Amino acid sequence: KQEVTQIPAALSVPEGENLVLNCSFTDSAIYNLQWFRQDPGKGLTSLLLIQSSQREQTSGRLNASLDKSSGRSTLYIAASQPGDSATYLCAVDSNYQLIWGAGTKLIIKP
Amino acid sequence: NAGVTQTPKFQVLKTGQSMTLQCAQDMNHEYMSWYRQDPGMGLRLIHYSVGAGITDQGEVPNGYNVSRSTTEDFPLRLLSAAPSQTSVYFCASSSSLAGRETQYFGPGTRLLVL
């Protein structure tokens, strides 16, 4: 059974720092992996989708990498800003269903 | 486009009551799904639909019913509410099967069952 883990559960860093969020999964047979952002009291917004054949995807200050063999993905955020404060979730497409991690709550201190 | 809309935003129920959570999308998406989100856990799939008239169970379907009479609407029914159903419920839609394309989420319905 596919399981997705995100560590740490919470992270607080000063504004301007580069940071990395981690996502690990137990079964490497995935179709793709997605990163989402969730703001308090709101729905989820898709950030990046990495196909299983890809190694990374970039969007602005965000870069997501995927290493299927080791069951790991990272989300790199460059030059963090207070507006980046949110919960970040990863999900893997496993057998036509998304399996989700519990998320990392990120706080960027001004 | 309004995207994915959900009503109500917040609801309090007593144990045993029934209710329907509404979800609608205006993007002509075939795939729609319902998730619940509990503290410290990832989202869990309740039910999903791949098109009008077609629904199937997800990971945690017990206590919930769905129907899909139109492409736009995908209501979730709680048959007899239990405290274990206290959660935040999200509806999502996409142009194809979950995960294969970008999913769009509604703002969520926060449900408290007493």
Side-chain angles (χ1 to χ4, degrees), chain A residues 85-98:
Chain A
S85 297
T87 297
Y88 291 81
L89 299 97
C90 68
V92 299
D93 180 339
S94 184
N95 196 25
Y96 290 95
Q97 291 192 7
L98 284 179

Side-chain angles (χ1 to χ4, degrees), chain A residues 4 6 11 20 33 53 60 63 88 104-105:
Chain A
V4 179
Q6 293 185 248
L11 180 64
V20 174
L33 183 145
S53 58
N63 176 278
Y88 291 81
T104 294
K105 183 176 182 179

Side-chain angles (χ1 to χ4, degrees), chain B:
Chain B
N1 283 356
V4 180
T5 58
Q6 291 183 238
T7 56
K9 291 185 178 179
F10 181 73
Q11 183 72 45
V12 179
L13 289 179
K14 295 180 179 178
T15 297
Q17 288 184 318
S18 63
M19 78 161 295
T20 299
L21 280 63
Q22 301 291 344
C23 174
Q25 53 91 9
D26 61 0
M27 297 172 282
N28 202 32
H29 285 167
E30 291 296 324
Y31 185 92
M32 296 185 74
S33 55
W34 276 102
Y35 293 93
R36 60 178 289 172
Q37 185 179 36
D38 299 297
M41 301 180 67
L43 276 70
R44 291 183 291 169
L45 182 65
I46 304 171
H47 285 286
Y48 65 96
S49 169
V50 297
I54 306 171
T55 64
D56 206 347
Q57 297 180 351
E59 180 185 358
V60 289
N62 292 341
Y64 308 94
N65 272 357
V66 292
S67 60
R68 185 94 179 270
S69 57
T70 66
T71 300
E72 295 78 19
D73 300 299
F74 190 43
L76 178 72
R77 297 182 187 84
L78 278 70
L79 308 174
S80 177
S84 62
Q85 294 178 304
T86 293
S87 188
V88 181
Y89 292 84
F90 289 101
C91 178
S93 74
S94 66
S95 58
S96 69
L97 286 169
R100 304 298 154 111
E101 299 291 339
T102 298
Q103 285 204 79
Y104 296 85
F105 282 80
T109 294
R110 188 174 297 272
L111 178 67
L112 175 62
V113 182
L114 302 175

